[in-house]
């Protein structure tokens, strides 16, 4: 992946990401769309009946009434069965997610929560149920073509269309849920999410302007929690209006408590509080929106679970190392660390500390290296990954890789008494033991 330079942050990006972390927004919007669709379909049905009555085509209208009455039985069946269907499907899905979180890591639950197909399936299921109730309320007891006011013809066709969509999405949803229980698709999803974060993260220019002396600090107010993300566009705008530079003190992913400093002001006074409102988002857990290191954290957690004596699944650890090496290979030549956000005039307005190269390497390999004793499959893959990164890394970034390789060799020499076994365990192999 190449560095495409700084891209100005989008003001609504944090809001969009926060809504993706919820499971209520999509169904709520689905309810609104269902009401609008029902009102529109009702108007069309009323106009069709009025047209037939003006043309005195009562025989044709009687056939439509007969068709709609036949469709009423189907609509009634759909209405009574849909909620039961929803309950059964999502109960099974929650069990599957629980099994995946126990086998891999609880952090994979966020993949299910953010899954578009999960939200779309739930939305269409609930929309089908609600629309069927609305259609049933449109049926009249009057069947005389001359006196009938509305025949839910279009509404009945729409409910059948929603039923077809529900069945199709059910098949897709079950397939996606089953994939969530497999290690390969999960680690691949984590890697792809990490690359999306990397693609939209600004990699600040090195050697930026020197900051003015610190003049004030902004304390965190509200609940304690993990710093999930910051609205960089809002902070840059607030700093520009006040003609100051803001520096974010904690990193994304740090736990902050009320009363601790969250922003430092350089070169002036603190911007008005209303301009800093909603600029810093604190939540109960980390997300991948702006947290590049969180992807590696998840991969490491899954690998450690696989290497534990309770699970004893080194192949899972090898799959996680594959993706960790892939991510590190993508950032090996990119500027990391402190990011300088600039306004439209090119002046630095927000300084944000981020993980450096050594931080990411330690996160990917340190804990795993402590747990590889007795697992030659993992040591061989780890040696191969470090060797590959040493070939890609510029000279100034080889030091942490060399350190981890030397420590890995020491670990194997200390824990494996037989020379032939040590040589086998330290032989580079991208498949571990193919």
């Amino acid at each position: 992946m190449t560095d495409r330079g700084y891209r100005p942050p989008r003001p609504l990006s944090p809001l969009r990401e926060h809504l993706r972390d919820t499971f209520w927004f999509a169904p709520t919007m689905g309810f609104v769309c269902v009401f609008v669709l029902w009102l529109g379909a009702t108007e069309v049905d009323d106009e069709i009946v009025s047209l037939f009555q003006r043309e005195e085509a009562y025989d044709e209208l009687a056939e439509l009434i007969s068709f709609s009455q036949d469709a009423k039985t189907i609509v009634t069946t759909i209405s009574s069965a849909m909620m039961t269907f929803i309950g059964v499907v999502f109960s099974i899905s929650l069990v599957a997610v629980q099994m995946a979180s126990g086998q891999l890591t609880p952090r994979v639950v966020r993949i299910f929560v953010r899954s578009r197909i999960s939200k779309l399936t739930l939305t269409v299921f609930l929309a089908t149920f609600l629309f069927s109730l609305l259609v049933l309320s449109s049926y009249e007891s009057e069947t005389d073509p001359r006196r009938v006011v509305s025949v839910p013809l279009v509404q009945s066709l729409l409910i059948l269309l929603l039923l077809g969509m529900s069945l199709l999405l059910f098949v897709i949803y079950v397939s996606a849920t089953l994939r969530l229980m497999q290690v390969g698709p999960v680690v691949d999803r984590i890697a792809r999410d990490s690359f999306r974060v990397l693609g939209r993260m600004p990699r600040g220019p090195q050697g930026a302007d020197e900051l003015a002396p610190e003049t004030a600090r902004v304390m965190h107010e509200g609940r304690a929690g993990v710093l999930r993300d910051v609205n960089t566009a809002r902070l840059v705008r607030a700093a520009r209006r006040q003609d100051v530079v803001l520096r974010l003190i904690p990193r994304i992913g740090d736990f902050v408590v009320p009363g601790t400093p969250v922003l430092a002001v350089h070169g002036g006074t603190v911007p008005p509080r209303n301009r800093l409102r909603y600029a810093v988002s604190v939540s109960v857990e980390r997300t991948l929106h702006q947290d590049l290191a969180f992807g590696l954290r998840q991969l490491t957690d899954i690998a450690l679970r696989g290497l534990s004596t309770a699970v004893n699944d080194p192949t899972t650890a090898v799959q996680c190392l594959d993706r960790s090496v892939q991510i590190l290979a993508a950032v090996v030549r990119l500027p990391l660390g402190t990011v300088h956000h600039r306004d439209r005039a090119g002046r630095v307005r927000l300084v944000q500390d981020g993980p450096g190269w050594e931080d990411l390497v330690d996160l990917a390999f340190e804990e795993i290296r402590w747990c590889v004793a007795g697992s030659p499959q993992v040591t061989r893959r780890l040696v191969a990954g470090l060797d590959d990164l040493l070939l890609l890394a510029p000279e100034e970034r080889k030091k942490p890789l060399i350190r981890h390789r030397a420590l890995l060799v020491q670990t194997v020499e200390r824990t494996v008494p037989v020379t032939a076994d040590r040589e086998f365990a330290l032989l580079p192999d991208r498949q571990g033991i193919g």
Side-chain angles (χ1 to χ4, degrees):
M1 179 177 295
T2 58
D3 184 8
R4 292 176 289 180
Y6 176 78
R7 293 187 296 176
R10 300 175 181 177
L12 296 180
S13 180
L15 176 61
R16 184 181 67 250
E17 291 298 321
H18 295 176
L19 290 178
R20 283 200 63 190
D21 287 331
T22 66
F23 219 75
W24 59 265
F25 180 73
T28 302
M29 295 304 299
F31 291 154
V32 174
C33 293
V34 162
F35 274 107
V36 173
L37 181 64
W38 175 68
L39 290 175
T42 302
E43 291 294 329
V44 174
D45 286 331
D46 293 346
E47 185 61 30
I48 291 175
V49 172
S50 299
L51 176 63
F52 275 93
Q53 289 175 342
R54 287 196 302 268
E55 298 293 334
E56 297 184 353
Y58 297 117
D59 293 339
E60 290 80 357
L61 182 56
E63 292 179 2
L64 294 181
I65 295 174
S66 176
F67 173 80
S68 66
Q69 291 297 324
D70 293 338
K72 183 178 181 180
T73 305
I74 300 177
V75 175
T76 304
T77 304
I78 293 173
S79 177
S80 60
M82 186 53 66
M83 281 307 295
T84 303
F85 185 59
I86 293 173
V88 171
V89 170
F90 279 88
S91 296
I92 296 173
S93 302
L94 291 178
V95 172
V97 172
Q98 185 178 9
M99 292 177 59
S101 65
Q103 178 185 358
L104 302 176
T105 172
R107 261 65 66 186
V108 301
V109 176
R110 65 174 296 277
I111 298 178
F112 174 81
V113 174
R114 291 176 62 89
S115 172
R116 289 187 175 93
I117 187 62
S118 299
K119 296 177 182 178
L120 180 60
T121 303
L122 177 62
T123 301
V124 174
F125 281 9
L126 293 176
T128 303
F129 172 71
L130 178 60
F131 196 81
S132 64
L133 295 180
L134 295 174
V135 172
L136 287 176
S137 68
S138 300
Y139 280 94
E140 298 181 8
S141 58
E142 181 62 60
T143 58
D144 187 350
R146 291 174 175 80
R147 290 183 295 180
V148 71
V149 176
S150 178
V151 177
L153 175 64
V154 175
Q155 299 174 59
S156 300
L157 294 176
L158 287 176
I159 192 64
L160 294 177
L161 178 61
L162 286 173
L163 177 62
M165 291 179 58
S166 299
L167 296 176
L168 177 62
L169 286 173
F170 170 70
V171 176
I172 299 174
Y173 174 75
V174 170
S175 175
T177 303
L178 291 176
R179 285 178 60 83
L180 184 63
M181 301 176 63
Q182 303 173 15
V183 177
V186 170
V187 297
D188 176 68
R189 174 66 179 271
I190 294 172
R192 287 189 285 111
D193 288 346
S194 299
F195 281 117
R196 275 194 286 268
V197 175
L198 182 62
R200 61 174 175 256
M201 278 188 62
R203 273 80 70 180
Q206 304 299 314
D209 302 337
E210 185 177 351
L211 294 179
E214 182 179 318
T215 54
R217 287 192 169 189
V218 178
M219 301 301 172
H220 174 60
E221 298 178 355
R223 64 174 181 173
V226 176
L227 182 60
R228 176 168 58 178
D229 54 38
V230 295
N231 193 327
T232 54
R234 190 178 184 89
L235 289 175
V236 167
R237 186 166 57 248
R240 178 177 57 82
R241 291 177 178 176
Q242 201 71 15
D243 195 21
V244 296
V245 177
L246 298 176
R247 177 171 57 85
L248 187 67
I249 296 176
R251 281 186 184 180
I252 299 294
D254 285 356
F255 191 87
V256 294
V257 297
T260 56
V262 66
L263 288 171
V265 183
H266 294 261
T269 58
V270 178
R273 188 168 300 276
N274 63 322
R275 295 181 182 174
L276 299 179
R277 188 176 302 166
Y278 308 121
V280 177
S281 175
V282 172
S283 182
V284 294
E285 61 180 355
R286 297 167 68 177
T287 69
L288 264 169
H289 177 212
Q290 297 177 354
D291 195 349
L292 178 61
F294 187 49
L296 290 173
R297 177 71 270 167
Q298 292 180 86
L299 292 172
T300 300
D301 286 347
I302 296 174
L304 293 176
R305 181 71 63 91
L307 291 173
S308 66
T309 54
V311 178
N312 193 21
D313 183 12
T315 303
T316 294
V318 169
Q319 291 179 278
C320 293
L321 284 172
D322 292 339
R323 299 300 179 174
S324 296
V325 171
Q326 179 188 8
I327 294 173
L328 291 176
V331 302
V332 68
R333 293 184 178 274
L334 298 181
L336 299 169
T338 303
V339 176
H340 298 83
H341 301 272
R342 301 174 181 267
D343 59 16
R344 287 172 293 186
R347 298 185 60 183
V348 175
R349 292 301 181 185
L350 175 64
V351 178
Q352 181 179 353
D353 188 24
W357 169 249
E358 188 170 356
D359 297 326
L360 297 178
V361 172
D362 290 342
L363 177 56
F365 299 136
E366 182 73 25
E367 294 173 284
I368 296 177
R369 183 172 50 78
W370 284 39
C371 300
V372 296
S375 181
Q377 182 181 0
V378 183
T379 58
R380 288 159 64 100
R381 179 63 186 98
L382 190 52
V383 171
L386 289 169
D387 289 347
D388 288 341
L389 291 173
L390 283 169
L391 292 176
L392 298 173
E395 195 63 34
E396 65 274 10
R397 290 194 171 177
K398 290 185 177 181
K399 183 177 178 181
L401 299 173
I402 295 174
R403 176 173 62 86
H404 277 283
R405 199 184 193 288
L407 290 173
L408 177 62
V409 171
Q410 293 176 17
T411 300
V412 173
E413 290 177 345
R414 185 175 61 253
T415 57
V416 181
V418 181
T419 302
D421 289 341
R422 288 198 299 267
E423 294 176 352
F424 180 82
L426 294 175
L427 185 65
D429 187 346
R430 292 188 179 90
Q431 293 187 24
I433 301 176

